[in-house]
Amino acid sequence: MIQIVKPIVSYKNVYKSFGDFEVLKGIDLNIAPGEKVAVIGPSGSGKTTIIRLLMTLEEPTSGDIYVEGNNLWKMERRGEMVPANEKHLREIRGDIGMVFQHFNLFPHMTVLDNCTISPIQVQGIDKEKAKAYAIEMLEKVGLGDKLDNYPDQLSGGQKQRVAMARALVMKPKVMLFDEVTSALDPELVGEVLEVIRGLAEEGEMAMILVTHEMDFALDVADRVLFLDKGVIAKRGTAKEVLQDSDDERLQGFLKRYRS
């Protein structure tokens, strides 16, 4: 018997406009639990918008997004679907973590405090338990010796790894990565990608990775989506999209990343 796996995330005919500019044009996408999906495409194609909608940093113009079968942006009230309130949004996005391009660490807090503030204040976890788990996650990303350092004492790669640990302590089922190496010096990119590769190999979390690191996407992703002008112009396995496709738009994009 074929086992049908319910998607952990679903986009249903999602549109997003900023003023008169339509960024996303009818996105349909299902992501399975534990699946690793890389999103590639030229600047302005809508890559980051896709994950910002899921993290509730932007609201869709129309369409629906579901997390574990629950509508993210709408809720039921008296038998009707109405716009979600903040409580509903917090509850549904509780299983989603995001690592941003520019770290977003609190400069006045130590590395350890950056990683414990959300479990304590948002999830209500006991301070000592939060501290113990944060230390475990910081060790996982190779920063167990930087607990008492402040962000300005770290390299860019170390800051990004702290940001990953901070997201991991919330125990997300879905992790979003938004061009996490694009702000780093080239020599620091490898250390961050290696941490993500390790997380991917563990296989537990679904991941959506907006990236321009094509070799990394080929190595890590189960599927690759090529966005162009607000639509998913090509989708398939990493090999199908990054190596075997003869799509002219995709080939023109990939040439810029090939030596």
Side-chain angles (χ1 to χ4, degrees):
M1 181 181 293
I2 298 175
Q3 185 177 8
I4 298 175
V5 178
K6 293 183 179 179
I8 191 165
V9 171
S10 293
Y11 293 74
K12 304 292 187 185
N13 199 31
V14 172
Y15 286 76
K16 176 60 180 176
S17 296
F18 294 100
D20 293 332
F21 180 52
E22 198 169 47
V23 179
L24 297 178
K25 305 172 184 177
I27 298 296
D28 288 298
L29 173 64
N30 290 326
I31 296 172
E35 186 178 19
K36 314 302 184 273
V37 178
V39 183
I40 65 171
S43 177
S45 60
K47 306 184 301 296
T48 292
T49 302
I50 279 184
I51 58 175
R52 286 179 65 84
L53 293 175
L54 185 55
M55 197 62 191
T56 71
L57 298 173
E58 303 286 353
E59 184 174 357
T61 303
S62 64
D64 294 293
I65 300 174
Y66 296 86
V67 179
E68 294 191 295
N70 298 302
N71 197 313
L72 177 60
W73 284 99
K74 296 174 185 174
M75 56 186 278
E76 187 174 343
R77 180 179 291 164
R78 302 187 190 95
E80 295 184 1
M81 296 304 290
V82 299
N85 59 25
E86 184 58 35
K87 181 175 181 289
H88 177 89
L89 291 173
R90 279 199 311 269
E91 288 176 353
I92 304 302
R93 73 170 179 234
D95 289 328
I96 301 169
M98 185 166 178
V99 183
F100 297 87
Q101 181 177 339
H102 293 291
F103 327 131
N104 291 3
L105 301 178
F106 293 112
H108 63 289
M109 290 185 178
T110 66
V111 164
L112 183 57
D113 288 342
N114 263 283
C115 293
T116 57
I117 184 171
S118 288
I120 294 169
Q121 294 192 358
V122 177
Q123 296 180 328
I125 293 175
D126 174 78
K127 186 175 181 179
E128 290 305 312
K129 287 184 179 179
K131 181 177 177 181
Y133 192 61
I135 291 172
E136 182 183 338
M137 292 302 100
L138 285 163
E139 289 174 347
K140 180 190 282 282
V141 301
L143 292 173
D145 60 340
K146 302 292 184 182
L147 305 181
D148 298 322
N149 287 58
Y150 288 86
D152 65 1
Q153 297 173 310
L154 305 177
S155 70
Q158 289 170 333
K159 290 176 186 177
Q160 195 57 284
R161 285 187 281 147
V162 173
M164 289 183 202
R166 180 184 57 187
L168 288 170
V169 297
M170 302 298 282
K171 300 182 179 180
K173 295 179 182 178
V174 183
M175 185 76 96
L176 313 177
F177 296 89
D178 183 20
E179 296 274 19
V180 295
T181 61
S182 62
L184 300 179
D185 293 332
E187 65 270 18
L188 301 176
V189 169
E191 68 184 67
V192 172
L193 294 182
E194 194 57 36
V195 171
I196 300 175
R197 183 178 282 106
L199 295 175
E201 288 172 354
E202 291 179 3
E204 297 174 1
M205 292 185 301
M207 295 182 177
I208 305 178
L209 306 108
V210 174
T211 185
H212 60 271
E213 302 285 346
M214 299 304 152
D215 290 340
F216 178 73
L218 182 63
D219 185 36
V220 168
D222 300 308
R223 273 193 299 158
V224 174
L225 311 178
F226 171 58
L227 259 69
D228 189 34
K229 299 178 181 177
V231 302
I232 301 175
K234 184 73 176 179
R235 68 177 88 197
T237 66
K239 185 174 184 293
E240 287 169 345
V241 175
L242 298 174
Q243 290 187 332
D244 297 344
S245 175
D246 57 3
D247 182 281
E248 289 186 8
R249 287 185 296 177
L250 174 56
Q251 285 301 318
F253 171 75
L254 291 175
K255 279 180 183 177
R256 284 181 271 164
Y257 296 93
R258 290 175 175 154
S259 55

